[in-house]
Amino acid sequence: FFFRGVAMVDVEESLEESLERAGPSTHRLHIDGLPSDVSDAELARRFTPFGEVREASVIRGADGACRGFGYVSLHAAPPEVARCIKAYTGTRWRGKRLAVAPASEDYMTRLKREWEEAAEQRRAEEAAAGAAAAAAAAERPAAHDPAATLRLRPSRHLDLVEATPGKSNRHRRSFPPLQAEAEGRRAEKLAAGKGAPAGEARGA
């Protein structure tokens, strides 16, 4: 058979190869046609040849007798699980005909898995948000500190200029940090027009 130029035989072979490469995992199987007097231990031993039986439970009625079905959690590679289903489906056990098929995930197991996945997603989102905030903070320019800048007037006839005490003042001089407060008051007086230093006044 061919499908869009691909042989179905090749597709089946590739699927089998991928199953052979897959590692072991836990598969939940539904077992139908169980004898009424079978125990959990007997059901587990029945499936041990195909892998590690991590759980085997027979569903019982109010009288304690098996209701005819149960579940087995088999930890094995997919090819082994497939051989188990093929080997036991249709066979007789204590006068009953078995039927083995993949079962849906147990409710509590699924609930626990969903909780773990949700927690992992929240951790990933929080980590991404933290990284984005850190990147934005790194790109944001540093906040301007008005206390670290002085507005000075080189002379009474010129406009005010900004200078950083102890760092740079290309217009008149450099100010040590300890003089910043005094120079600030002086600059405010000059800006308000309340007068100029005596030396400048005599020079005028």
Side-chain angles (χ1 to χ4, degrees):
F1 297 94
F2 290 86
F3 179 72
R4 293 185 179 180
V6 180
M8 293 301 295
V9 175
D10 295 339
V11 173
E12 292 177 357
E13 290 178 353
S14 63
L15 289 175
E16 291 179 357
E17 292 174 358
S18 63
L19 289 176
E20 290 290 343
R21 290 193 299 268
S25 59
T26 302
H27 303 262
R28 191 166 184 254
L29 302 176
H30 177 269
I31 319 300
D32 197 12
L34 293 176
S36 59
D37 58 346
V38 67
S39 65
D40 295 347
E42 290 173 329
L43 179 61
R45 285 196 299 269
R46 186 76 176 179
F47 286 82
T48 300
F50 296 95
E52 178 188 354
V53 177
R54 296 196 167 177
E55 184 181 4
S57 58
V58 176
I59 307 303
R60 303 183 183 280
D63 57 354
C66 174
R67 296 176 56 186
F69 68 96
Y71 296 94
V72 170
S73 295
L74 184 65
H75 188 77
E80 289 298 319
V81 177
R83 280 193 283 270
C84 173
I85 294 175
K86 184 177 181 180
Y88 281 160
T89 298
T91 60
R92 289 188 173 275
W93 187 27
R94 297 184 185 178
K96 298 285 188 177
R97 188 179 297 275
L98 296 179
V100 183
S104 59
E105 192 174 19
D106 177 66
Y107 172 75
M108 294 304 299
T109 303
R110 177 172 58 84
L111 188 62
K112 181 180 179 181
R113 176 180 55 79
E114 290 176 353
W115 284 348
E116 293 175 351
E117 291 175 353
E120 182 65 26
Q121 183 177 359
R122 283 196 302 271
R123 286 192 292 268
E125 291 175 353
E126 291 173 358
E139 295 177 357
R140 189 182 305 118
H144 177 68
D145 185 4
T149 303
L150 297 177
R151 293 178 62 82
L152 305 176
R153 189 187 301 276
S155 74
R156 61 187 302 177
H157 302 293
L158 298 178
D159 296 332
L160 291 171
V161 295
E162 290 187 352
T164 303
K167 292 186 178 180
S168 65
N169 181 5
R170 294 174 299 176
H171 303 282
R172 297 185 67 179
R173 57 176 175 163
S174 296
F175 294 87
L178 295 178
Q179 297 181 3
E181 185 177 354
E183 293 294 341
R185 290 196 298 268
R186 180 174 177 274
E188 292 176 358
K189 292 180 180 180
L190 291 175
K194 293 183 179 180
E200 292 185 3
R202 286 195 298 272

